[in-house]
Amino acid sequence: MKKAIYPGSFDPITNGHLDIIKRAAGMFDELYVGILINSAKNPLFSMEERVSMIEEVLAEYPNIKVVSFDGLLVDYCKAQNISVIIRGLRAVTDFDYELQIAQTNRVMDPNIDTIFLATSLEYSYLSSSIVKEISAYGGDISKTVPKTIEKRVHQKRSSQILQRPTVSETP
Ligand code: PNS
């Protein structure tokens, strides 16, 4: 049984991620979508929220498993008998970062390979950060994420606005 993992922060998952996931799921017996902590990022959604959002949009794919974990990706792969890591490449600007991660993972575990899938052209501009940026200013994100995710992003933004401390008018 050939297993692969598509790891990422998915904060939130976008149509570009889903494009890669659906294509990769057709190439392997089982595809894990691994939600990980990227220490360089400050997430909008909690890990539990991201898991439930992704499970919801991928519910109809029987060979896709949504998982979350802490620690090194290669350690998780080894424990689960996963030998392939999938990453998407949108443009040449992704390449340096992706190559460095792939080589780092390979130094740590030479039994695990990274395969890059070229993002479909219509999603080459898209990232989770772009989705968050548009929504932060009340823009339309309907072309960037599925309907259910769009709803969750709007709910999150509204709850953030409600939680914002009110500024006292008198000094
Ligand atoms: O979607 P992202 O934020 O580009 O994904 C990056 C991610 C989460 C795949 C990467 O940060 C990662 O693999 N983190 C887990 C820790 C790890 O294994 N680090 C070693 C590779 S640098």
Side-chain angles (χ1 to χ4, degrees):
M1 173 139 155
K2 198 77 185 156
K3 298 202 265 186
I5 186 163
Y6 179 51
S9 316
F10 306 114
D11 184 45
I13 195 161
T14 69
N15 289 337
H17 294 131
L18 290 167
D19 167 56
I20 299 285
I21 290 170
K22 288 169 192 175
R23 287 158 55 199
M27 298 172 193
F28 294 91
D29 298 310
E30 191 160 34
L31 179 74
Y32 287 56
V33 175
I35 311 167
L36 285 112
I37 292 169
N38 182 336
S39 50
K41 293 180 181 171
N42 185 18
L44 177 66
F45 290 96
S46 71
M47 196 57 102
E48 294 72 28
E49 287 170 326
R50 282 180 271 164
V51 170
S52 80
M53 286 155 81
I54 297 173
E55 277 177 345
E56 199 177 340
V57 287
L58 294 172
E60 67 194 72
Y61 294 87
N63 73 330
I64 297 178
K65 195 169 166 174
V66 181
V67 295
S68 68
F69 51 91
D70 281 336
L72 288 174
L73 177 58
V74 288
D75 289 343
Y76 183 82
C77 289
K78 196 171 178 182
Q80 299 295 325
N81 210 16
I82 296 169
S83 56
V84 174
I85 297 168
I86 302 284
R87 291 286 284 177
L89 279 181
R90 288 167 299 192
V92 75
T93 41
D94 282 342
F95 188 71
D96 281 352
Y97 170 68
E98 292 298 338
L99 185 64
Q100 189 182 24
I101 292 186
Q103 288 175 331
T104 305
N105 286 333
R106 200 159 163 75
V107 167
M108 289 191 287
D109 192 336
N111 298 314
I112 300 171
D113 272 305
T114 299
I115 294 181
F116 296 111
L117 292 185
T119 301
S120 296
L121 208 54
E122 67 263 43
Y123 305 123
S124 59
Y125 72 97
L126 188 53
S127 67
S128 301
S129 308
I130 286 284
V131 174
K132 286 182 277 192
E133 175 77 4
I134 299 172
S135 80
Y137 294 100
D140 177 8
I141 56 167
S142 62
K143 292 192 184 78
T144 63
V145 293
K147 223 50 262 112
T148 52
I149 306 293
E150 186 185 353
K151 242 193 202 155
R152 301 282 278 265
V153 173
H154 287 320
Q155 280 165 1
K156 177 64 81 177
R157 288 299 181 203
S158 319
S159 71
Q160 282 183 332
I161 290 164
L162 288 173
Q163 279 164 20
R164 236 178 249 162
T166 47
V167 182
S168 169
E169 304 233 332
T170 47

